[in-house]
Amino acid sequence: MDACVRALAAVHERDGYPVNWPERPADWLAPPSLLSAWVAELDGRVAGHVGLALSGTGDVAPGLWSARAGVGPDATAVVGRLFVAPGARGHGIGGLLLARAVSEARARGLHPVLDVVASDTAAIALYERLGWELLAEIEQEWGPRLTVAVRCYAAGG
């Protein structure tokens, strides 16, 4: 877990993800709603991470998709905590991690959804290139003086 936190810190320093650095990064990577998580390695080092969780408080994408599909939000799984260490980019790791999370969600009979900060153009490009469907762009309050535009997506197919 320490190696994941170090990789996450490098991502935060370079890209500003996550927007609000968590007080306990290891707990942030493994929230109570977590179903599964995966770590990618490159040359023996942590190269990336992704998690799959049940819908929680503040998750908008599950409600958007479930309203569109005519099912409850409990029919979704939230893909999150996806990052690739700066030194490991360009190897397709983000796409591989995302595919693994989608496969697991579908194996559990759940539809994968996610949200991403609208300013994260690299992540948005990845999701859209892989066929994720934009559900909506919304504004969320992430702090006393912090409103963030978030794009909500559902996996295609």
Side-chain angles (χ1 to χ4, degrees):
M1 185 58 87
D2 290 342
C4 281
V5 170
R6 285 192 298 277
L8 180 63
V11 169
H12 180 72
E13 184 176 319
R14 179 175 175 150
D15 304 324
Y17 175 81
V19 172
N20 294 325
W21 182 254
E23 185 176 322
R24 293 184 173 93
D27 292 346
W28 184 82
L29 287 170
S33 61
L34 190 68
L35 295 169
S36 293
W38 298 268
V39 173
E41 291 185 352
L42 182 65
D43 298 328
R45 293 188 174 167
V46 170
H49 174 277
V50 69
L52 185 69
L54 296 173
S55 175
T57 304
D59 287 328
V60 177
L64 291 170
W65 183 82
S66 64
R68 184 177 288 185
V71 299
D74 59 341
T76 65
V78 179
V79 176
R81 304 336 192 223
L82 174 60
F83 64 87
V84 176
R89 294 178 182 171
H91 297 278
I93 292 169
L96 292 171
L97 285 166
L98 191 58
R100 182 64 189 102
V102 167
S103 176
E104 178 67 17
R106 290 191 169 138
R108 291 172 179 258
L110 302 171
H111 195 88
V113 297
L114 59 82
D115 60 46
V116 59
V117 176
S119 61
D120 192 345
T121 57
I124 289 167
L126 172 67
Y127 303 141
E128 292 181 356
R129 186 173 67 248
L130 295 176
W132 285 68
E133 177 187 353
L134 177 65
L135 300 170
E137 184 169 321
I138 60 159
E139 299 276 321
Q140 283 189 321
E141 299 284 329
W142 283 11
R145 288 180 275 261
L146 181 60
T147 301
V148 178
V150 175
R151 294 173 63 96
C152 300
Y153 285 89

